[in-house]
Amino acid sequence: GKSYLPIYMVIDFLSWLPGLCSSALWFSKGSAPAWLQGLCVLRVLKPERYLGAFASMISILAEHGAILKATALVSFLLWLLVSSMLYFTERNNPDEELQEVYASVPRALWAEIINLHGEWPWCDYTWQGKAIGTFLNFMSIGICMVPVVVFSDAFMSKVEEVHPAKPVAPAVPAVPALEDGAP
């Protein structure tokens, strides 16, 4: 039979209720629990019925899952490799801060997850560490671009399916062909 509580009604209810509760607690106590404030993020689900962005992302993930999984695996292996290499090159670094950061492989993993995303908070690496970091930069740029290209291309394909491109007339009129004997 027909449901008396459609999913959109539930999403609407869940999208404003945490904000209302958080505001009520804020005005009564001067603060609200962090988890309740976090639930206010549920409002992002409200426009889904009009936009279909999450549905599009899920279909793109399903359609291009193989290349995205391969990219994730390469990223993971690169992270492990570079972290281990930098552990060996930087654990005896003259800079005490880098010695602490690369004192063990788990600490090196933490440092390299930051570096893998493009932020380099430490700069006094040994020459071997700088060479490994340069390699990591070039590899991570290429790796990060794979999901960007996959999602942008797939979104453009979905937009073109909904709104097919109209042929564009040339902006400049064509030059008439010269007849025989004309200057």
Side-chain angles (χ1 to χ4, degrees):
K2 187 174 177 176
S3 172
Y4 291 103
L5 195 61
I7 190 66
Y8 293 132
M9 183 187 278
V10 173
I11 290 173
D12 285 344
F13 179 72
L14 290 177
S15 69
W16 64 263
L17 183 65
L20 179 68
C21 294
S22 179
S23 298
L25 285 172
W26 183 264
F27 288 119
S28 67
K29 294 182 177 181
S31 66
W35 64 269
L36 185 59
Q37 292 174 344
L39 286 177
C40 291
V41 174
L42 291 175
R43 277 191 78 72
V44 79
L45 296 175
K46 192 170 182 175
E48 174 64 15
R49 75 178 83 162
Y50 306 112
L51 303 175
F54 290 113
S56 295
M57 284 192 285
I58 290 170
S59 70
I60 290 169
L61 284 171
E63 188 177 330
H64 300 284
I67 191 155
L68 294 171
K69 287 176 188 173
T71 304
L73 177 64
V74 170
S75 299
F76 179 72
L77 294 175
L78 182 66
W79 177 44
L80 293 178
L81 174 72
V82 169
S83 298
S84 300
M85 290 170 68
L86 283 173
Y87 163 71
F88 286 112
T89 63
E90 302 303 317
R91 65 182 172 182
N92 296 323
N93 189 308
D95 183 6
E96 291 178 10
E97 186 178 5
L98 278 171
Q99 281 181 8
E100 183 181 339
V101 169
Y102 291 99
S104 65
V105 174
R107 284 178 170 237
L109 286 168
W110 171 79
E112 286 315 298
I113 200 68
I114 294 171
N115 294 346
L116 189 63
H117 290 89
E119 182 179 344
W120 287 81
W122 306 282
C123 60
D124 295 326
Y125 287 91
T126 60
W127 71 267
Q128 297 98 335
K130 289 178 183 178
I132 294 167
T134 303
F135 168 76
L136 174 67
N137 282 340
F138 287 126
M139 292 300 293
S140 61
I141 289 169
I143 289 171
C144 289
M145 289 313 298
V146 171
V148 169
V149 170
V150 166
F151 274 96
S152 63
D153 185 50
F155 270 124
M156 285 306 297
S157 296
K158 289 188 179 296
V159 167
E160 288 171 356
E161 286 174 7
V162 174
H163 304 288
K166 296 177 184 174
V168 178
V172 179
V175 178
L178 296 176
E179 295 180 22
D180 290 340

